[in-house]
């Protein structure tokens, strides 16, 4: 059995060497694995943190490309950078992942509740945190499969400036800048970026290029007097994007074909946070208020076709108290309220009227308890959510971490449950002539656990392996054809969807200037096939992996990195012209090889360059949508201060 083989492998990792390692884990803080900041080594959850140095070394433009290297993560992009991009964590659904920016959730700010990776660029990010497994017991309904938190530059950091420009293949022109201001109690950061790209042809036929463009403005302000227990933070983030896409030939091929279509999207995020900490740091209160607004408009042949808009208001209060005693104990209480308004506009026809406005309210409360000492930590949380349109849901999460050999060996175990309410589109429909909503849908429910070991071997090696198992009930099938209505709709599937797999990582300092980092993920994700059996879930490769080789000589002002991502054969769904039924088709495996380099020729100036898809691989993440061939890019970066 796979499970038995994986557990044997984990125990082997514990005893690879008898000597105790000399080095301990880097003290990296995560704010997603707990309701309060916690060191990675102190959490039993499976979490990956991508720091600023790796972000700059990888030179990715979009967050989705950066996440390809994370174990347990599968990325599906429909064409060029800036095109629709989906993420699946451990075989979960694309809308089962909570994505937040500086703690503000934006996953449910779109009609399909999917993470809008195609909108998000990496320039002003300080780190990216990826938390795998059901996390609704901490963060609510959007965290049924995991959490991704994007953390921007801290306004409390030292003042500094950064400016960069980049150009290259596919007509790319990119620019970005950032500045940090203030001293003492007042600190602020301001950043902005843009990119414009002609793109490539994303359909298998034709010669029309499909490009994308985006602009971003972001600001964070912090007021933190040294002698005061109060802290105030304000933030604003504004994104405007435009992406061209092809239509579908519903008559002859059923595949994408050249067309004059584009999607225009705007996203705004406003947030305020106030915190008060008692003088002895034993009690902390925090109040968060945010508003997220999105507006997506589709234009066909230079004319308006349809639009969706979501406005989300969120408020939460959290209190954390350190309990007395010899052990490290803290108790956290939090309550929150969210209201969402959904609006869809389109052209009414004989088949129906897509114009509608809907509203949904939700209240939640969570209690988390943490207990630990030098060598171990245990945490447990329970959350209750009350929805205006669904039954209440109670979820939990627990984790345990045990450390040996001065922290160089860590056993981590976690378990939790999740739930995901149906989306507005699933319940009320969209594109009135092709998809009918189902207001009787029930929320999806998930449960899962994982166990893993991380081990440092001397000062040069680190290995880790994790086995996970998850189950989803009431899974929503959004491609169910209702023969009576002659259109697609959404239904809750009978039976359970089961997922299990293994995540392995190795980091090796091969020599002082050469580091190797590699990950491998095995995912077995199956769903009911409607005939009493099981089918492999779509767009979930069984095998995937990533390899990074970094050369950074200490006495020379340059570094070079090679990044290779492997994606095994996976399946997608193909809708041939009527009356032929939908069919599952294979997508070929592929390897993406990127090469990046940086040369610092002055204290404040750096040249950087990269080659994407260096093997000129022809591949598809989504059936019929071709992806870019080999591309070369070069840029200049100026930086002063931090």
């Amino acid at each position: 059995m796979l499970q038995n083989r994986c557990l044997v492998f984990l125990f082997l990792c514990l005893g690879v060497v008898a000597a105790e390692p000399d080095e301990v884990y880097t003290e990296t803080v995560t704010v997603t694995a707990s309701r309060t900041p916690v060191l990675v080594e102190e959490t039993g959850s499976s979490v990956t943190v991508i720091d600023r140095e790796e972000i700059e070394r990888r030179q990715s433009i979009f967050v989705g490309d950066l996440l390809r290297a994370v174990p347990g993560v599968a990325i599906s992009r429909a064409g060029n950078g800036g095109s629709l991009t989906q993420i699946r964590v451990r075989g979960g659904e694309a809308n089962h992942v909570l994505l937040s920016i500086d703690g503000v959730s934006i996953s449910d700010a779109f009609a399909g509740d999917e993470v809008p990776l195609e909108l998000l660029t990496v320039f002003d990010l300080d780190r990216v945190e990826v938390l795998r497994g059901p996390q609704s017991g901490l963060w609510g309904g959007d965290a049924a499969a995991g959490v991704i938190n994007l953390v921007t530059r801290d306004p409390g950091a030292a003042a500094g400036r950064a400016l960069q420009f980049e150009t290259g293949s596919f007509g790319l022109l990119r620019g970005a800048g950032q500045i940090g201001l203030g001293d003492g109690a007042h600190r602020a950061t301001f950043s902005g970026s843009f990119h414009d790209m002609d793109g490539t042809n994303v359909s298998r036929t034709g010669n029309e290029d499909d490009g994308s463009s985006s602009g971003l403005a972001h600001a964070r302000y912090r007021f933190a007097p040294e002698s005061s227990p109060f802290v105030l933070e304000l933030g604003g983030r504004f994104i405007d994007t435009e992406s061209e896409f092809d239509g579908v030939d519903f008559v002859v091929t059923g595949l994408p074909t050249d067309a004059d279509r584009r999607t225009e999207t705007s996203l705004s995020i406003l947030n305020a946070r106030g915190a008060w900490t008692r003088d002895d740091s034993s009690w902390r209160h925090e109040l968060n208020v945010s508003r997220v607004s999105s507006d997506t408009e589709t234009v066909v042949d230079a004319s308006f076709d349809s639009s969706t808009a979501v406005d989300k208001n969120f408020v939460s209060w959290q209190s954390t108290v350190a309990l007395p005693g010899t052990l490290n104990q803290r108790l956290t209480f939090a309550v929150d309220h969210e209201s969402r308004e959904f609006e869809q506009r389109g052209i009414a026809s004989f088949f129906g009227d897509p114009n509608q406005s809907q509203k949904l309210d939700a209240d939640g409360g969570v209690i988390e308890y943490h207990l630990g000492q030098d060598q171990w930590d245990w945490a447990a949380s329970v959350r209750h959510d009350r929805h205006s349109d669904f039954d209440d849901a109670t979820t939990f999460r627990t984790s345990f971490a045990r450390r040996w050999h001065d922290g160089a060996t860590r056993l981590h175990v976690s378990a939790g449950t999740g739930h995901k309410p149906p989306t507005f589109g699933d319940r009320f429909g969209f594109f009135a002539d092709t998809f009918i909503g189902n207001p009787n849908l029930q929320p999806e429910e998930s449960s899962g656990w994982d166990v893993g070991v991380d081990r440092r071997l001397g000062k040069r090696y680190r290995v880790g392996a994790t086995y996970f198992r998850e189950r989803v009930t009431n899974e929503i099938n959004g491609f169910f054809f209702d023969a009576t209505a002659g259109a697609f709709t959404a239904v809750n599937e009978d039976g359970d969807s089961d997922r299990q797999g293994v995540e392995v990582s190795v980091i090796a300092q091969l020599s002082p200037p050469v580091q190797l980092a590699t990950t491998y993920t095995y995912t077995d994700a199956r769903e009911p096939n409607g005939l009493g059996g099981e089918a492999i879930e779509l767009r979930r490769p069984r095998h995937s992996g990533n390899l990074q080789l970094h050369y950074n000589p200490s006495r020379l002002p340059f570094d070079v990195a090679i990044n290779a991502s492997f994606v095994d054969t996976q399946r997608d769904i193909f809708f041939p012209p009527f009356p032929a039924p939908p069919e599952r088709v294979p997508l070929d495996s592929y390897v993406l090889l990127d090469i990046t380099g940086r040369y610092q020729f002055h204290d404040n100036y750096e040249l950087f360059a990269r080659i994407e898809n260096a093997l000129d691989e022809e591949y598809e993440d989504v059936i019929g949508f071709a992806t870019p061939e080999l591309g070369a890019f070069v840029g200049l970066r100026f930086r002063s201060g931090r």
Side-chain angles (χ1 to χ4, degrees):
M1 294 290 292
L2 170 66
Q3 180 176 350
N4 294 333
R5 292 198 299 268
C6 294
L7 291 176
V8 170
F9 180 79
L10 296 182
F11 285 112
L12 287 175
C13 288
L14 275 173
V16 173
V17 294
E20 291 191 0
D22 298 319
E23 205 170 274
V24 297
Y25 290 104
T26 302
E27 293 191 345
T28 302
V29 176
T30 172
V31 296
T32 54
S34 173
R35 296 290 306 196
T36 56
V38 62
L39 295 176
V40 170
E41 66 178 59
E42 294 178 356
T43 176
S45 298
S46 295
V47 59
T48 297
V49 179
I50 305 174
D51 61 21
R52 185 174 181 84
E53 172 60 26
E54 183 175 350
I55 292 172
E56 292 188 352
R57 184 171 66 243
R58 290 282 304 278
Q59 298 184 28
S60 300
I61 296 177
F62 297 97
V63 171
D65 296 324
L66 191 67
L67 293 175
R68 286 184 183 271
V70 177
V73 168
I75 300 294
S76 300
R77 190 175 70 186
N80 291 303
S83 300
L84 176 67
T85 305
Q86 295 179 315
I87 183 171
R88 293 175 173 85
V89 176
R90 290 183 171 175
E93 296 297 331
N95 62 358
H96 286 190
V97 181
L98 184 151
L99 186 141
S100 61
I101 301 177
D102 293 330
V104 179
S105 171
I106 65 172
S107 300
D108 57 356
F110 295 83
D113 288 7
E114 290 193 11
V115 173
L117 288 178
E118 65 274 11
L119 306 182
L120 305 175
T121 54
V122 306
F123 169 72
D124 63 342
L125 298 184
D126 193 61
R127 69 180 188 273
V128 178
E129 302 173 359
V130 182
L131 182 63
R132 298 181 290 279
Q135 307 295 329
S136 293
L138 277 175
W139 304 110
D142 293 311
V147 178
I148 299 172
N149 185 34
L150 310 181
V151 182
T152 63
R153 289 297 304 273
D154 187 346
R161 293 172 292 167
L163 188 67
Q164 71 178 49
F165 294 95
E166 181 181 355
T167 187
S169 300
F170 320 129
L172 174 68
L173 181 62
R174 181 188 180 205
Q178 186 173 52
I179 185 170
L181 301 172
D183 196 6
H186 300 274
R187 303 261 185 176
T189 60
F190 302 90
S191 60
S193 65
F194 76 91
H195 93 270
D196 187 83
M197 184 165 53
D198 296 337
T200 61
N201 181 33
V202 302
S203 63
R204 294 180 180 177
T205 60
N207 55 15
E208 179 200 41
D209 292 339
D210 298 286
S212 67
S213 61
S214 71
L216 176 146
H218 177 67
R220 287 183 68 184
Y221 165 76
R222 174 181 293 172
F223 175 66
E226 184 175 350
S227 59
S228 173
F230 295 97
V231 175
L232 173 66
E233 285 193 6
L234 304 175
R237 193 174 186 89
F238 307 92
I239 302 173
D240 279 298
T241 69
E242 181 177 303
S243 179
E244 298 173 338
F245 68 99
D246 283 340
V248 176
D249 180 0
F250 292 107
V251 178
V252 179
T253 66
L255 295 171
T257 185
D258 286 349
D260 181 14
R261 301 187 175 191
R262 69 178 187 273
T263 298
E264 300 172 356
T265 303
S266 64
L267 172 67
S268 65
I269 306 168
L270 300 173
N271 64 285
R273 181 179 72 90
W276 173 83
T277 305
R278 208 164 79 171
D279 290 341
D280 61 359
S281 300
S282 63
W283 197 5
R284 178 181 175 86
H285 296 283
E286 188 172 307
L287 178 66
N288 288 275
V289 180
S290 65
R291 177 177 175 83
V292 181
S293 298
S294 71
D295 193 336
T296 301
E297 181 175 306
T298 301
V299 177
V300 176
D301 296 329
S303 299
F304 169 82
D305 180 73
S306 61
S307 68
T308 59
V310 177
D311 292 319
K312 185 181 76 165
N313 296 307
F314 181 84
V315 58
S316 71
W317 171 80
Q318 177 171 303
S319 181
T320 300
V321 57
L323 302 178
T326 58
L327 297 177
N328 177 16
Q329 299 182 80
R330 62 178 180 270
L331 190 62
T332 299
F333 303 88
V335 293
D336 54 63
H337 172 77
E338 177 182 295
S339 64
R340 281 194 295 157
E341 296 180 355
F342 171 78
E343 182 181 275
Q344 179 175 270
R345 294 293 178 260
I347 301 173
S349 68
F350 169 79
F351 299 98
D353 185 355
N355 294 284
Q356 58 175 310
S357 299
Q358 307 291 343
K359 185 176 181 179
L360 177 68
D361 293 325
D363 298 297
V366 60
I367 300 175
E368 182 185 29
Y369 173 71
H370 177 270
L371 174 67
Q373 57 173 215
D374 291 342
Q375 300 301 320
W376 59 270
D377 289 89
W378 173 71
S381 63
V382 60
R383 180 181 172 95
H384 185 75
D385 286 283
R386 183 176 62 186
H387 301 278
S388 59
D389 294 26
F390 310 106
D391 293 337
D392 292 1
T394 300
T395 51
F396 80 90
R397 174 190 171 277
T398 185
S399 67
F400 175 77
R402 174 71 166 89
R403 296 173 293 279
W404 294 273
H405 307 136
D406 294 328
T409 300
R410 181 176 72 111
L411 170 70
H412 58 91
V413 182
S414 69
T417 58
H419 79 285
K420 180 67 182 77
T423 68
F424 284 115
D426 288 337
R427 295 177 60 211
F428 303 112
F430 56 90
F431 304 130
D433 55 340
T434 59
F435 190 92
I436 301 173
N438 180 358
N440 298 317
L441 288 170
Q442 296 300 310
E444 298 168 290
E445 299 177 352
S446 65
S447 61
W449 60 272
D450 60 38
V451 55
V453 176
D454 296 327
R455 170 98 184 196
R456 280 193 183 273
L457 311 177
K459 296 183 177 181
R460 298 173 58 184
Y461 302 96
R462 176 177 174 182
V463 298
T466 300
Y467 172 78
F468 65 87
R469 191 177 184 95
E470 298 180 6
R471 173 167 292 178
V472 177
T473 59
N474 288 334
E475 185 169 8
I476 295 175
N477 177 3
F479 294 100
F480 182 81
F481 187 75
D482 187 336
T484 303
F488 287 94
T489 188
V491 297
N492 289 108
E493 293 278 17
D494 294 327
D496 299 331
S497 297
D498 294 312
R499 296 149 190 170
Q500 62 176 332
V502 179
E503 299 161 350
V504 179
S505 64
V506 177
I507 300 176
Q509 196 72 43
L510 302 180
S511 66
V514 181
Q515 184 184 74
L516 173 70
T518 182
T519 64
Y520 164 76
T521 303
Y522 172 84
T523 305
D524 184 11
R526 299 175 181 269
E527 63 181 350
N529 63 3
L531 301 174
E534 293 182 328
I536 297 175
E537 295 222 50
L538 303 174
R539 301 180 188 172
R540 278 86 161 175
R542 177 160 291 190
H543 304 279
S544 61
N546 186 266
L547 183 147
Q548 298 180 51
L549 189 64
H550 183 217
Y551 177 65
N552 184 22
S554 59
R555 296 183 179 182
L556 297 175
F558 75 91
D559 66 357
V560 177
I562 298 174
N563 187 85
S565 298
F566 167 72
V567 177
D568 191 20
T569 301
Q570 53 188 319
R571 293 191 174 273
D572 204 353
I573 189 166
F574 172 55
F575 296 94
F578 183 83
E583 57 183 286
R584 290 171 176 254
V585 296
L587 299 176
D588 292 339
S589 62
Y590 62 86
V591 174
L592 284 182
L593 179 66
D594 297 337
I595 303 172
T596 63
R598 298 180 295 179
Y599 172 63
Q600 187 166 350
F601 61 92
H602 184 274
D603 289 343
N604 302 116
Y605 292 92
E606 178 181 85
L607 281 173
F608 60 93
R610 74 180 179 280
I611 299 175
E612 293 183 351
N613 193 9
L615 301 178
D616 204 16
E617 186 88 81
E618 294 183 6
Y619 68 100
E620 293 178 359
D621 287 325
V622 180
I623 182 69
F625 286 88
T627 44
E629 61 270 16
L630 182 149
F633 309 87
V634 63
L636 175 66
R637 179 181 294 119
F638 164 81
R639 181 165 41 209
S640 67
R642 289 187 58 184

